[in-house]
Amino acid sequence: MILTVTPNVALDITYRVDQLIPGSSHRVRGVRERAGGGGINVARVLHGLGHPTMILGFVGSATAAALTTDLAQGGFAHELISVEGPTRRSVAVVDSSNGAATLFNEPGPRVPAATWDDLEARLAARLPEATALVVSGSLPPGASDDACARLVRLAVAHRVTVLVDTVGENLLRAAAAGADIVKANSSELLDTTGLSDVTAAATALRRRGANAVVASLGEAGMTAWTRGGCWRAALPAPVVGNPTGAGDAAAAALIGGAAAGAPWPDRLRDAVALSAAAVLQPTAGSFDMDHYREFVPQIVVEEHHAPGLDR
Amino acid sequence: MILTVTPNVALDITYRVDQLIPGSSHRVRGVRERAGGGGINVARVLHGLGHPTMILGFVGSATAAALTTDLAQGGFAHELISVEGPTRRSVAVVDSSNGAATLFNEPGPRVPAATWDDLEARLAARLPEATALVVSGSLPPGASDDACARLVRLAVAHRVTVLVDTVGENLLRAAAAGADIVKANSSELLDTTGLSDVTAAATALRRRGANAVVASLGEAGMTAWTRGGCWRAALPAPVVGNPTGAGDAAAAALIGGAAAGAPWPDRLRDAVALSAAAVLQPTAGSFDMDHYREFVPQIVVEEHHAPGLDR
C-alpha cells in the first residue's frame, strides 16, 4: 500500500469553454468537479496503475461531503482530517479551441498546529503497513516550515521510502530530513534554492540530505540525480494539453518504481511517459493508458554526469 | 416592497489575480463569494438605494446553506425553493493589472415543472404586497419557453409593474404577456429577435406587447422606447471595470423609478449612472454611492423619435 499525504486538498473544478478571451464573459459548456491536490492526484494515477493506495490529508469541513463522496465513489481509501472553513478550490478553464488550460488556485484554509499533530499520529499508525509515502502539493496557509520534514522523519524512522513534491523552505527541510526522492519542476527548484542552475540546485538538495532529486523540465522531459547515477529522459516531440496533473503523474511513476525496486532509468522513462499521458487529459490525476503504453518505448533516456557530488 | 425573481440563482465567486495570462497557472490573491444571479443582484442594488425587497428563486440544495447564510447576513428577505444538485457558480476573475473581469458562468441545475409551479404559487402569494416585480437573469436548463411569461401574467393580473431582463423565446413571450419594461443589452435584443437593428428589435418587442423596451448599449449608454417617448442617455466618457452587474444595476434603477412614478428621462439617467457606478465595483450587485451621485448630473439624456410605432 502506498500512502499519499495532501496537506492542501482541493476541490478541482474544470470548466470547458469555447475560447478563453480575457475580459469577456464565457458560457461554461461543461463542468467537472472532483477531489484534487497533489497527493490525491498521485493516488489517482497509482490507482490507475493498479497500486493499492491510502490518502491522508486535511479537508475543509464546509465542503467535505463533496470531496469524500467523490473519493468514495472512485474507490479510494482515504482519511481526511476536518478543518474549519471550505476546502480550497482550484479552477481549470480548458479552452476548446486550442486545448490550453488556465488555472486559478485558491490559497486554502488555515490548518491549526494541533491538526497537523493529528495527521502525524494517523500517518504513524499507517506507516507499518506502507511500502512508500508521497507528500505532495502546496502547504496550507500557516503551515510550519518543518511540516513536511516531520512527515519525512516519520517515514525514515519506519524505513518507508518517501517522495516529497513541494516547494520552498518545506522542500529544503524535507531534503535535510533525508527524503528518498525530492521532486519539483525546474523553476520551483531554482526558487527554492535561490540558485540559477538546475544541476546546482539538485546538487544542493542532495548535499542537504536528499537521496535523489528529480527535476521536471516541462516539454524537455525530466532529469534525475541519484546515488546510482544521473539520467535525463524526454519524449522526441512535446505534447500539448493541461500540464496540471503532469507532475503528479511523474510522482506516481517514481514512487511506484521505487516501491517495485525498478532501476532509475526505467523509473524516469515511466515518469516522462505517464506525465505526457496526463498532459493529454483535461483533469489532473487522469491519464490515458493507451497513450502511456504508446509513449514508453518512445522515451529517450541518456546517462550524464553531474558535477560536485560523488555517487 | 419590490419582488425580484431569480430563476437561475448563482454562487458568485470573485478571484483577484495579479495578471490574467491564458494558458498559465494563477495564484488567487483574494476570494470573495456571495449569492448572485440577476434578481438577487437587482435586489442588492435596490437595497442599497433604500427600497424594501423580497427575493424569490430556486437554489441548489447541495450548496443552499452558503447562499442563504450570505443573504441572511446581508439582511435580504428571501424565499428560495430548493432543487436537487448544487447551485450554479459564476466565477469572475479580476485582473489587478488592468481591473478587467473575465467571467465563467455555469449552466445551473435543472428545475422540474412542479418546482416552477411552486414558485408561481409563492409569487402569487407575495404580489398583493408588492409595488413592482423584476424577473431577471438566465433561465435554468429545461425551463419552459413560457416560464417568464407566466410570471408576467401573474403580475399583470395583480396590476403590479413588471420588468423582465432575460433573453430568447422567454423574453419574446414575456413581451407578449404584457411586460411593462423589457430590458436587455443590444446584442441580446438582436439575438432574441433575429433582427440586425436595435431600434427594429425594440419596436418588434413593443409590437408583441411590451409597454417599454430598454436597451443597454455598453459604453454608449442606454436607449428607452416607451409609450411616452424615446430617450437615449449616456455618460460623456465611458468607465472601465467589471460589467457583470451593470445590467442588474440598470434594472434596479428602472424598477425603482417605475415604482416611484418617476418620468422616463429620469429613470434612464439613473439607470446609466447606477450602471456606471456598478462597473467600478469588482462584484455584481454592488455600487458606490459617491460615484453614483457624481455620475447623475453628468448624464446626457436626449429625446429621439423611433419609427414604426406611435407613442
Side-chain angles (χ1 to χ4, degrees):
Chain A
M1 179 264 293
I2 298 177
L3 283 168
T4 74
V5 172
T6 313
N8 207 1
V9 169
L11 182 65
D12 276 346
I13 301 168
T14 303
Y15 288 158
R16 191 166 46 77
V17 300
D18 293 337
Q19 196 187 358
L20 173 56
I21 302 168
S24 74
S25 187
H26 303 78
R27 214 170 276 187
V28 172
R29 303 292 181 184
V31 183
R32 289 175 68 180
E33 197 172 299
R34 62 185 199 174
I40 288 179
N41 296 336
V42 172
R44 285 188 188 280
V45 176
L46 286 169
H47 204 249
L49 293 170
H51 291 277
T53 59
M54 176 71 199
I55 292 166
L56 293 176
F58 306 115
V59 67
S61 55
T63 44
L67 279 117
T68 51
T69 302
D70 177 54
L71 290 176
Q73 281 173 353
F76 292 94
H78 62 275
E79 192 171 329
L80 297 177
I81 303 166
S82 191
V83 294
E84 212 177 311
T87 302
R88 80 183 171 105
R89 285 169 296 211
S90 171
V91 177
V93 177
V94 179
D95 183 326
S96 299
S97 74
N98 60 11
T102 305
L103 306 173
F104 304 100
N105 300 308
E106 297 186 9
R110 186 167 288 269
V111 177
T115 311
W116 276 101
D117 293 344
D118 189 3
L119 176 67
E120 283 180 43
R122 296 193 198 207
L123 178 63
R126 297 280 183 184
L127 278 167
E129 337 147 39
T131 53
L133 169 66
V134 174
V135 179
S136 171
S138 63
L139 277 295
S144 146
D145 286 343
D146 210 40
C148 288
R150 291 174 66 163
L151 307 181
V152 168
R153 276 181 221 118
L154 278 176
V156 169
H158 285 83
R159 301 182 161 272
V160 168
T161 303
V162 53
L163 180 151
V164 178
D165 182 355
T166 190
V167 294
E169 188 63 29
N170 256 281
L171 188 64
L172 292 174
R173 298 204 187 184
D180 294 278
I181 308 170
V182 157
K183 196 213 133 284
N185 67 44
S186 51
S187 67
E188 288 167 345
L189 285 182
L190 300 182
D191 286 351
T192 294
T193 57
L195 298 169
S196 57
D197 173 80
V198 179
T199 299
T203 304
L205 285 166
R206 289 186 61 213
R207 283 223 172 93
R208 278 185 182 252
N211 275 325
V213 175
V214 178
S216 70
L217 316 166
E219 295 178 349
M222 267 171 229
T223 303
W225 293 263
T226 82
R227 284 177 191 275
C230 300
W231 291 272
R232 224 188 321 256
L235 261 178
V239 294
V240 177
N242 181 358
T244 331
D248 298 324
L254 295 171
I255 202 71
W264 267 101
D266 291 353
R267 297 187 201 177
L268 209 57
R269 185 192 319 274
D270 234 37
V272 173
L274 209 48
S275 204
V279 165
L280 294 175
Q281 292 295 109
T283 48
S286 304
F287 71 98
D288 184 284
M289 188 62 89
D290 292 339
H291 279 129
Y292 166 51
R293 290 197 180 120
E294 185 191 312
F295 288 147
V296 170
Q298 296 180 32
I299 310 289
V300 180
V301 184
E302 289 173 341
E303 189 163 11
H304 64 101
H305 295 279
L309 266 192
D310 54 341
R311 290 179 178 183
Chain B
M1 180 264 294
I2 297 179
L3 283 168
T4 74
V5 172
T6 313
N8 208 2
V9 168
L11 181 65
D12 277 345
I13 301 166
T14 302
Y15 288 158
R16 189 168 47 76
V17 299
D18 293 336
Q19 194 187 0
L20 173 56
I21 303 168
S24 73
S25 187
H26 302 77
R27 215 170 276 190
V28 172
R29 303 291 181 186
V31 183
R32 289 178 65 178
E33 197 173 299
R34 61 186 203 176
I40 288 179
N41 296 336
V42 172
R44 285 188 188 280
V45 176
L46 286 168
H47 204 248
L49 293 170
H51 292 276
T53 58
M54 175 74 200
I55 291 165
L56 293 176
F58 305 115
V59 68
S61 53
T63 44
L67 279 117
T68 52
T69 301
D70 176 56
L71 290 175
Q73 281 174 352
F76 292 96
H78 62 277
E79 191 171 329
L80 296 176
I81 304 166
S82 190
V83 294
E84 211 177 309
T87 302
R88 79 183 172 104
R89 284 169 297 213
S90 173
V91 177
V93 178
V94 179
D95 184 327
S96 299
S97 73
N98 60 12
T102 305
L103 306 172
F104 303 99
N105 299 307
E106 296 186 12
R110 184 167 288 269
V111 177
T115 310
W116 276 101
D117 292 346
D118 188 3
L119 176 68
E120 283 180 44
R122 297 193 197 205
L123 178 62
R126 297 280 183 183
L127 279 166
E129 336 148 39
T131 53
L133 168 67
V134 174
V135 179
S136 170
S138 64
L139 276 297
S144 147
D145 286 343
D146 212 40
C148 288
R150 291 174 66 165
L151 306 180
V152 169
R153 277 182 219 116
L154 278 176
V156 170
H158 285 82
R159 301 182 161 272
V160 168
T161 302
V162 53
L163 178 151
V164 178
D165 183 353
T166 190
V167 294
E169 188 65 27
N170 257 283
L171 187 64
L172 292 174
R173 297 204 188 183
D180 294 277
I181 307 171
V182 157
K183 193 213 135 284
N185 66 44
S186 53
S187 66
E188 289 167 346
L189 285 181
L190 300 182
D191 286 351
T192 294
T193 57
L195 298 168
S196 57
D197 173 81
V198 179
T199 299
T203 306
L205 285 166
R206 290 186 60 212
R207 283 221 172 92
R208 278 184 182 252
N211 274 326
V213 175
V214 178
S216 70
L217 316 166
E219 295 179 348
M222 269 173 230
T223 304
W225 294 264
T226 82
R227 283 176 192 275
C230 300
W231 291 271
R232 225 187 324 253
L235 262 177
V239 292
V240 176
N242 181 0
T244 332
D248 299 325
L254 295 171
I255 202 71
W264 266 101
D266 291 351
R267 297 187 202 179
L268 209 57
R269 184 192 321 273
D270 235 36
V272 172
L274 209 47
S275 205
V279 164
L280 294 176
Q281 292 295 107
T283 49
S286 305
F287 70 97
D288 184 285
M289 189 61 92
D290 291 339
H291 280 130
Y292 166 52
R293 288 195 181 121
E294 183 191 313
F295 288 148
V296 169
Q298 296 180 31
I299 311 287
V300 180
V301 184
E302 289 174 341
E303 188 163 14
H304 64 103
H305 295 281
L309 267 190
D310 55 343
R311 293 178 180 186

